[in-house]
Amino acid sequence: MLDLPNCPKCNSEYTYEDGSLLVCPECGHEWTLGLETENSEDKKVIKDANGNVLNDGDSVTIIKDLKVKGSSSALKVGTKVKNIRLVDGDHNIDCHIDGFGAMKLKSEFVKKI
């Protein structure tokens, strides 16, 4: 029998091969044999509207007028946002916008400068 590695997500020893993938029956995690040590789910790739990879500290531009809850004004197209922070969740960009303050934005409404 093959000596398969434990699941990198839940550390289960009951992993099995399914074609080129390794599968954990306990948590349902699937991975390839070369990537089990990298733990790729811990580091998610966040992309802007054009498909460019975003990183902490990047500057972005808003590509669509966005309504702001609790405010009568909106964020306009072309508003520049500097020094973004990437976070987990539905709104995956945390930033500070001059004139509005702290904001959370979705990456699909920005493009990298």
Side-chain angles (χ1 to χ4, degrees), residues 47-112:
K47 296 182 180 183
D48 69 356
N50 295 333
N52 299 318
V53 177
L54 296 173
N55 297 309
D56 285 338
D58 283 346
S59 295
V60 295
T61 303
I62 296 176
I63 63 167
K64 177 182 174 185
D65 286 345
L66 300 174
K67 293 181 183 177
V68 179
K69 274 191 174 180
S71 176
S72 60
S73 57
L75 293 173
K76 299 292 182 188
V77 173
T79 302
K80 293 181 181 177
V81 182
K82 299 177 184 175
N83 197 19
I84 64 170
R85 290 174 305 282
L86 302 178
V87 295
D88 290 332
D90 186 31
H91 292 73
N92 45 16
I93 297 175
D94 199 12
C95 61
H96 182 281
I97 300 175
D98 293 335
F100 281 94
M103 286 280 176
K104 289 187 179 250
L105 300 171
K106 291 185 178 185
S107 60
E108 62 199 56
F109 299 121
V110 301
K111 71 176 183 177
K112 192 172 182 178

